[in-house]
Amino acid sequence: MTVRTTAPRATSSAPATTAKAPSANAVAPRAAAASTALTAPPAGLGKGDSGAKVKQLQQGLVKLGYLTQAQMNTGVGSFGPATEAAVKKFQGDHKVPTTGYYGEQTAAALKKALAKATTPPPTQPGKFTKPAVISAPSPNNDSRNGADIDAIVLHHTGSNNGAGDMAWMRNPDSKVSAHYMLDRDGKIYQLVGDSKRAWHAGKSELHGVPTDVNARSIGIEIVNDGSGKTAFTDAQYKALTQLVGYLKQEYKVPANNIVGHKDVAVPKGRKDDPASNFDWARLRKGIGG
């Protein structure tokens, strides 16, 4: 679901009452891990610079999801427009002035972020606890009418402005909502209680069978503009892994019922979220299937 657009859309609210369809690590050696550990380069890099330190910066940005490997490969060791844009996105997410210059504050933030990234998310199914959430209630919900939760639907919000996206989903006039929203810094906001029916999927089907997906699912919005060029952050992947792992475990959701909005929206092609650069393999590996 695209939460916000230039013209407000309310495509995900109307209750549907159709029949319910049936549900259907390798760990690298420690020595190798230590030898390839990424660290932040010294500060003092900007557009036009080149060399090993720029390559080290690029590798860190790839690791954290701010630069794609393909983007790095086209300009390895060169601080060009793609690297500058990635630095700005990183700075914005870490409350550092978005200058695009890799200075002392940015270097300190990158060092901290890379240190956190070395701690892997839980990978064993059945070992998840509910992550910390921030309560931000939305009035846009109704009853599940007795339906069991057996699906999880992922969305991108359609913007990189978490505060604006959340305000829209809490606005009664929008008639859209989700159970959870993951901001770019990894914070998780709960807008609708799990027991309630959030308005996120609209007209939909599951595995080709028309059904009220809203009534049987948990909806999760990930703050991302959906362009396919803006990376989902490392913090988002970590938080999402913990949240989806917990929900999968808590409600015994089959792995093939963890889907994107584009997989359930009717007609096909009506939605495209989560964006094409969302790493499904990373999520599925993290939750154990």
Side-chain angles (χ1 to χ4, degrees):
M1 172 176 71
T2 300
V3 170
R4 299 176 71 234
T5 61
T6 52
R9 301 194 308 177
T11 60
S12 304
S13 60
T17 55
T18 52
K20 181 174 177 180
S23 308
N25 263 327
V27 179
R30 290 190 178 184
S35 64
T36 58
L38 288 175
T39 57
L45 299 172
K47 193 171 181 180
D49 288 337
S50 61
K53 292 179 181 178
V54 174
K55 180 180 178 181
Q56 185 179 356
L57 170 61
Q58 292 171 327
Q59 289 172 330
L61 293 169
V62 169
K63 171 72 175 177
L64 297 174
Y66 287 90
L67 193 69
T68 67
Q69 189 64 53
Q71 286 173 320
M72 177 178 170
N73 291 344
T74 60
V76 175
S78 297
F79 200 122
T83 301
E84 182 182 35
V87 169
K88 285 183 177 180
K89 288 176 185 174
F90 175 83
Q91 289 171 328
D93 287 344
H94 291 79
K95 308 298 187 291
V96 176
T98 54
T99 61
Y101 178 76
Y102 181 73
E104 294 290 346
Q105 285 181 285
T106 308
L110 184 65
K111 181 179 179 181
K112 185 176 180 180
L114 287 173
K116 287 184 179 179
T118 61
T119 303
T123 57
Q124 297 182 19
K127 300 294 183 182
F128 294 91
T129 56
K130 185 172 183 177
V133 299
I134 300 168
S135 179
S138 167
N140 300 335
N141 66 85
D142 55 13
S143 172
R144 290 188 183 274
N145 291 320
D148 293 329
I149 297 168
D150 68 351
I152 299 169
V153 181
L154 305 186
H155 308 258
H156 62 242
T157 59
S159 91
N160 295 319
N161 178 6
D165 294 330
M166 184 162 60
W168 182 242
M169 286 189 285
R170 298 179 71 192
N171 183 340
D173 293 335
S174 74
K175 305 223 185 308
V176 295
S177 62
H179 293 89
Y180 300 93
M181 188 193 84
L182 272 65
D183 213 337
R184 293 192 56 80
D185 59 3
K187 289 180 181 175
I188 306 173
Y189 296 85
Q190 182 151 21
L191 285 76
V192 176
D194 291 1
S195 64
K196 294 293 187 177
R197 178 182 179 274
W199 303 341
H200 60 97
K203 187 176 181 181
S204 50
E205 62 186 20
L206 188 61
H207 308 309
V209 180
T211 185
D212 183 0
V213 170
N214 281 343
R216 59 192 294 187
S217 69
I218 296 286
I220 302 174
E221 288 281 354
I222 310 168
V223 177
N224 183 282
D225 62 17
S227 65
K229 298 178 181 179
T230 299
F232 293 84
T233 69
D234 189 65
Q236 285 177 320
Y237 279 116
K238 286 184 175 182
L240 186 66
T241 297
Q242 186 69 20
L243 178 60
V244 173
Y246 163 76
L247 294 169
K248 176 177 181 285
Q249 166 191 295
E250 181 72 6
Y251 299 109
K252 298 179 174 56
V253 176
N256 68 332
N257 281 7
I258 300 172
V259 295
H261 195 184
K262 61 185 173 186
D263 301 313
V264 300
V266 176
K268 289 293 184 185
R270 181 170 69 87
K271 295 294 179 179
D272 63 354
D273 45 331
S276 58
N277 61 334
F278 179 76
D279 193 344
W280 280 102
R282 175 173 178 174
L283 174 63
R284 296 197 186 282
K285 179 179 178 181
I287 63 176

